[in-house]
Amino acid sequence: MKPRTVLALLIASILPLVACLPTEDVDPSDVDPSDVEDLSDVPDDGTPGESAPAQLASYVGVPSNYVYNPRLGTLHDYCTKSPDEFPNPIGKNANFRGPCARHDMCLGARISSQTCNNRLWSNMVSNCQYTYGVFNPARKACINTAHVYWVAVTINTHL
């Protein structure tokens, strides 16, 4: 295995653990309002004046036409040699199977690796945002992990 690949995998395995260490509490007054989607004018049941629940991101699932079969190679095994979910030690895990499956399919369709890698990152971030609330520290740790995955696949697809 090449040294850069080993380094990327090492970082990918350590960062989720470090990123989940307790940090200082988040003061809501320190949050940039542009980071929070305003859904106040969207009715949840059609009744004027009532707002929809704050759903900030869509869940990215495994496409129905994805073939999971590791014996067929790395384009059929979700997140090759990496966890298929963000390992939150104190709560729910964010699912990375859908983003990884879509990445496999993108590469299999011979779309540029840069495009596929960027979509992987975006889809992983979406699942992090879907799983964890704005003030949940696991959200930032999950997004940091998505970035590590992006670095690892970028290194491996550009060697």
Side-chain angles (χ1 to χ4, degrees), residues 58-74:
S58 297
Y59 178 74
V60 179
V62 177
S64 61
N65 60 337
Y66 179 74
V67 176
Y68 176 81
N69 186 346
R71 289 179 290 178
L72 297 176
T74 60

Side-chain angles (χ1 to χ4, degrees), residues 9 12 15 22-23 45 54 71-72 74 81 87 92 94 98 108 117 125 131-132 141 157:
L9 292 173
L15 183 63
T23 59
D45 64 355
R71 289 179 290 178
L72 297 176
T74 60
K81 298 181 184 177
K92 184 177 180 180
N117 296 347
V125 167
T131 305
Y132 307 113
T157 57

Side-chain angles (χ1 to χ4, degrees), residues 85-150:
E85 54 189 20
F86 170 71
N88 184 2
I90 57 173
K92 184 177 180 180
N93 293 345
N95 191 333
F96 288 163
R97 287 174 189 86
C100 289
R102 291 169 188 272
H103 182 254
D104 290 349
M105 293 175 75
C106 184
L107 292 174
R110 301 201 182 273
I111 296 172
S112 83
S113 60
Q114 181 179 359
T115 297
C116 296
N117 296 347
N118 290 343
R119 286 180 187 169
L120 171 69
W121 179 82
S122 176
N123 288 337
M124 290 176 108
V125 167
S126 186
N127 278 6
C128 291
Q129 292 172 337
Y130 178 86
T131 305
Y132 307 113
V134 173
F135 298 111
N136 186 331
R139 183 183 220 189
K140 180 149 178 67
C142 184
I143 291 170
N144 287 342
T145 300
H147 185 74
V148 171
Y149 276 57
W150 177 85

